[in-house]
Amino acid sequence: MSDTATKNPLLLATIRVTKDIVYRDFPSETVVLNLQTGQYHGLNPTAGEMLAALDETGSVEAAAKQMAERHEVDVAAVLADMCALCEKLSERGLIEIEPAASQ
Amino acid sequence: MITAPALTRHRLSAFGLEIESDWPLSGTTPCPPGSGTRLVELPPDRMEAEWQQPAETVFEPAYPDGVRRFAVERDIRQYRLWFADEGRFLVATDGKMVATEAGAADADSLERILLAQVLPFAAALQGYEVLHASAVAIAGGAVAFAGPAGSGKTSLAARLALRGNRLVTDDVLAIERRGDGLVCHPGPPLMVLAASDLDVDALGTVVGSTDKLHVAVAPAEEPQPLRTLVYLERGERLELSALERGDTERALSSFFAPYLATPDRLRGHLDTALLLSDAVRQLRLTLPRPVDFDAALDLIAREVR
């Protein structure tokens, strides 16, 4: 486990896109739609790519690693941005964060 | 909903629907009973009985003057549409049955509201994506004009029709996702436009009137691939610009009856907006007042060949 993981439980959590949330990648943004409320949310292309990586991997660390490799950037920088995004997505009910069992 | 028997019906193809009406509408032809979307008439007491069923309000817009003009409710079997001036309508939740109230409105008002509101509502319930747009067939594909009421959708479509292009629809456009693209279903054979708008006699035959003239205009006979979508807005100068990356917000706000926000419809809107972005050229046309329609059409003609 990294040092960051000991400080931020988000890195050990399981991430799921909330049921009834769908998203589509448009040329200029990713549009996230809550099928129950009809509310749309717009994400810039980087945030949209992060959401897709979170959806695919279910893990902040794995998603950050995937993004870092794809864009050849430092994983620590991606992790910080990814954690910030997760908090915003969670506040809007777009993802669910399930803490690790030991937490 | 209770259906009234009719030995002879009147068929109309519009919005992707095969409509079988108990009475003739503009452009209908007599037909034997079939399996199309039924349009029936109920006596007032029967309609009232239906209206007494428990229901929830789906949508009721608030107007600045506080007057009620339009409401949509839903009971266990059907939607109930109430218009202050045109009466009450029932639309089955699957969209395959529409009932009007006999004698509630004059024939022209009834026809206008059916074609502009109620049947498009039924088309939406049957799974078509419905946009607030007029459209014309040009060079093997449809050019659609989307925008709010009064933005010039009908005026542009009518003038393009006068230039020899085939009308696809006036004011309400039913589209369908097919493969990687979208097709436009022809609307009813009717345009509703202001008497002073243009030379209506050159456009078609005046068959009725409300606060506008009802002009019979034969639409395209086959669905047309949607090639270009032009968003109309007011501006200080006439300008047509390409939206190279589309306009997701405008696309999503162009759907008819957005209050019908079921998960399937919402998902359909999003997928349709994505196809609009991928497969349809999107343009923005700003129109100053008064509108120089000929100049606007010349701009469009240069973009759409």
Side-chain angles (χ1 to χ4, degrees):
Chain A
M1 184 187 305
S2 68
D3 290 344
T4 314
T6 60
K7 294 175 185 172
N8 190 346
L10 190 59
L11 302 185
L12 296 174
T14 300
I15 309 294
R16 291 191 191 87
V17 173
T18 307
K19 181 176 176 289
D20 296 323
I21 296 294
V22 295
Y23 58 93
R24 301 286 187 270
D25 294 328
F26 288 75
S28 58
E29 63 181 335
T30 293
V31 176
V32 186
L33 167 63
N34 185 325
L35 294 172
Q36 288 304 315
T37 66
Q39 191 166 16
Y40 293 98
H41 305 262
L43 303 180
N44 68 35
T46 303
E49 191 179 344
M50 286 182 172
L51 175 62
L54 287 165
D55 192 16
E56 182 184 336
T57 65
S59 151
V60 172
E61 279 202 305
K65 187 179 175 189
Q66 184 184 92
M67 291 281 293
E69 287 175 354
R70 189 179 300 157
H71 296 281
E72 298 181 344
V73 294
D74 180 37
V75 70
V78 179
L79 267 177
D81 290 344
M82 187 87 71
C83 287
L85 177 68
C86 281
E87 288 176 5
K88 290 177 181 172
L89 295 175
S90 178
E91 284 170 10
R92 290 165 174 74
L94 306 180
I95 62 169
E96 294 171 342
I97 299 171
E98 182 183 331
S102 59
Q103 292 177 43
Chain B
M1 190 186 306
I2 304 163
T3 65
L7 296 177
T8 299
R9 296 177 186 168
H10 304 269
R11 177 168 294 151
L12 173 68
S13 298
F15 310 119
L17 309 180
E18 292 298 322
I19 299 150
E20 294 179 22
S21 172
D22 280 1
W23 70 96
L25 295 163
S26 289
T28 56
T29 53
C31 70
S35 57
T37 298
R38 291 278 281 124
L39 180 51
V40 303
E41 198 172 52
L42 296 184
D45 60 334
R46 294 258 297 278
M47 180 65 86
E48 182 59 29
E50 295 288 331
W51 220 263
Q52 292 304 316
Q53 300 300 314
E56 61 175 331
T57 299
V58 174
F59 179 65
E60 183 169 349
Y63 292 91
D65 59 7
V67 176
R68 292 183 75 226
R69 292 186 174 86
F70 174 54
V72 179
E73 299 175 345
R74 180 179 174 162
D75 67 27
I76 194 168
R77 293 176 299 163
Q78 59 213 355
Y79 286 92
R80 309 194 313 210
L81 281 64
W82 173 83
F83 299 87
D85 297 326
E86 293 88 4
R88 301 185 286 190
F89 301 83
L90 305 174
V91 183
T93 52
D94 65 2
K96 293 183 177 174
M97 175 75 72
V98 173
T100 72
E101 181 175 7
D106 66 85
D108 290 348
S109 296
L110 175 63
E111 181 162 296
R112 180 176 175 182
I113 205 75
L114 276 170
L115 299 180
Q117 297 285 338
V118 183
L119 291 173
F121 188 94
L125 291 174
Q126 293 195 36
Y128 292 97
E129 299 293 344
V130 184
L131 299 176
H132 274 297
S134 296
V136 174
I138 300 177
V143 177
F145 300 100
S151 60
K153 301 184 294 292
T154 295
S155 296
L156 285 165
R159 283 168 173 78
L160 280 168
L162 282 174
R163 289 188 177 194
N165 303 290
R166 203 76 183 264
L167 176 74
V168 175
T169 193
D170 176 27
D171 202 46
V172 185
L173 172 63
I175 58 178
E176 187 176 8
R177 299 188 298 276
R178 283 190 188 168
D180 295 332
L182 295 160
V183 295
C184 302
H185 288 281
L190 192 73
M191 298 196 83
V192 176
L193 63 173
S196 60
D197 207 14
L198 44 66
D199 181 3
V200 293
D201 291 330
L203 183 65
T205 305
V206 176
V207 292
S209 65
T210 46
D211 60 325
K212 295 183 176 180
L213 295 178
H214 298 196
V215 182
V217 180
E221 291 173 1
E222 300 294 332
Q224 303 287 319
L226 180 56
R227 297 266 166 74
T228 305
L229 176 58
V230 185
Y231 297 106
L232 306 179
E233 61 181 47
R234 289 192 182 191
E236 293 188 357
R237 62 195 178 97
L238 179 65
E239 189 173 19
L240 182 66
S241 54
L243 300 166
E244 299 298 345
R245 296 157 74 89
D247 190 329
T248 310
E249 190 171 340
R250 281 177 197 267
L252 289 170
S253 65
S254 296
F255 287 103
F256 176 87
Y259 49 83
L260 274 178
T262 63
D264 283 347
R265 274 181 51 80
L266 288 168
R267 192 192 303 268
H269 291 350
L270 191 59
D271 288 335
T272 301
L274 187 59
L275 271 179
L276 284 171
S277 170
D278 288 345
V280 177
R281 187 156 193 233
Q282 295 181 61
L283 306 170
R284 177 175 55 222
L285 177 62
T286 54
L287 297 166
R289 294 294 190 267
V291 179
D292 182 344
F293 284 108
D294 285 331
L297 292 184
D298 290 342
L299 278 180
I300 293 166
R302 282 199 286 272
E303 288 286 336
V304 181
R305 295 177 191 276

